[in-house]
Amino acid sequence: MNETVLPILYSFRRCPYAMRARLALYVSAQTCIHREVVLRDKPEEMIKISPKATVPVLEISPGNILEQSLEIMLWALERNDPLNWLIPEVGTRDEMIALVEQCESEFKPHLDRYKYSNRYENTDPVTHRTGAEKFLQVLERRLIETACLFGTSPALADFAIAPFVRQFANTDRDWFDQLPCPSVQKWLSDFLESNVFLAVMGKYEPWKPGDPPIRSATAYS
Ligand SMILES: N[C@@H](CCC(=O)N[C@@H](CS)C(=O)NCC(=O)O)C(=O)O
């Protein structure tokens, strides 16, 4: 496909939101032009189309912009969902989205205050680590029943949530590894070893105007 008609993805390798967008774009075989962003020096081209200036941003075509990672996942998977990420074995798509929203509203604020406690006033990282653990217990209860959050195969919820649990685990790996949640630990390690995760973690130089377009990897490229 001609580069000029491919969607453009503004992404940052280690951002869990960008990661989940890349995972869905990859599995749906949606090739994009990849533009790696440095968060402290975001390109004007991205801010112009998305003034809220967070990654990921997907420019599907001029004026047709998706600025939320979950929207990007749904857009890609509604077009092509070869592994049935939107049709879980157990439960429904709406239940998966509700769990993803719970991750964002309950787990993520604690994760930020645990990992980046120096950015917040009067914040005790251990209090927030304990707060975040409650959501891990929610995941553990599900994962004791089945290997993945909504059945035996990973689906939307697994790929939308695992990048955040990865970030939490990496903040203090030794502490995470001794937590009494073996099913979450196994689920995370399966995710980290999966081909789809490894495929979207390629390293790119930061994009600048005039650079030759770089096509993202896709499951069938
Ligand atoms: N609700 C947004 C959140 C995206 C977000 O907050 N991304 C972070 C990076 S992980 C970001 O771009 N922050 C802006 C900054 O650090 O300047 C989404 O789901 O895409």
Side-chain angles (χ1 to χ4, degrees), residues 24 27-28 69-97 100 150 153-160:
V27 82
S28 72
S69 53
L70 188 56
E71 279 175 13
I72 297 173
M73 291 189 91
L74 294 173
W75 175 82
L77 295 168
E78 276 163 8
R79 287 161 63 92
N80 184 24
D81 185 15
L83 299 185
N84 290 334
W85 285 16
L86 295 179
I87 309 169
E89 234 172 61
V90 174
T92 64
R93 168 178 165 156
D94 285 350
E95 284 165 358
M96 290 198 291
I97 291 176
V100 173
F150 288 81
S153 312
L156 177 82
D158 302 274
F159 289 103

Side-chain angles (χ1 to χ4, degrees), residues 3 133 191 209 214:
E3 257 77 7
E133 247 188 281
F191 168 72
I214 295 177

Side-chain angles (χ1 to χ4, degrees), residues 24-50:
L25 290 164
Y26 174 83
V27 82
S28 72
Q30 175 62 63
T31 308
C32 298
I33 298 301
H34 184 101
R35 291 185 176 174
E36 187 69 17
V37 167
V38 176
L39 291 179
R40 61 174 186 285
D41 185 20
K42 295 168 194 144
E44 275 170 33
E45 287 73 5
M46 182 185 109
I47 295 172
K48 213 157 96 188
I49 59 167
S50 178

Side-chain angles (χ1 to χ4, degrees), residues 39-141:
L39 291 179
R40 61 174 186 285
D41 185 20
K42 295 168 194 144
E44 275 170 33
E45 287 73 5
M46 182 185 109
I47 295 172
K48 213 157 96 188
I49 59 167
S50 178
K52 78 174 177 51
T54 63
V55 291
V57 175
L58 186 70
E59 183 176 16
I60 297 169
S61 57
N64 189 4
I65 313 293
L66 297 180
E67 314 180 85
Q68 295 295 335
S69 53
L70 188 56
E71 279 175 13
I72 297 173
M73 291 189 91
L74 294 173
W75 175 82
L77 295 168
E78 276 163 8
R79 287 161 63 92
N80 184 24
D81 185 15
L83 299 185
N84 290 334
W85 285 16
L86 295 179
I87 309 169
E89 234 172 61
V90 174
T92 64
R93 168 178 165 156
D94 285 350
E95 284 165 358
M96 290 198 291
I97 291 176
L99 189 65
V100 173
E101 284 169 353
Q102 189 181 352
C103 172
E104 252 141 78
S105 62
E106 295 177 17
F107 182 69
K108 177 74 164 86
H110 285 305
L111 167 61
D112 288 344
R113 284 160 184 77
Y114 164 44
K115 184 172 167 67
Y116 305 112
S117 58
N118 57 339
R119 296 185 191 167
Y120 297 87
E121 255 177 59
N122 301 325
T123 296
D124 171 32
V126 173
T127 306
H128 289 286
R129 187 176 72 179
T130 307
E133 247 188 281
K134 294 201 178 81
F135 184 67
L136 296 187
Q137 285 157 10
V138 171
L139 301 185
E140 180 71 15
R141 283 196 287 277

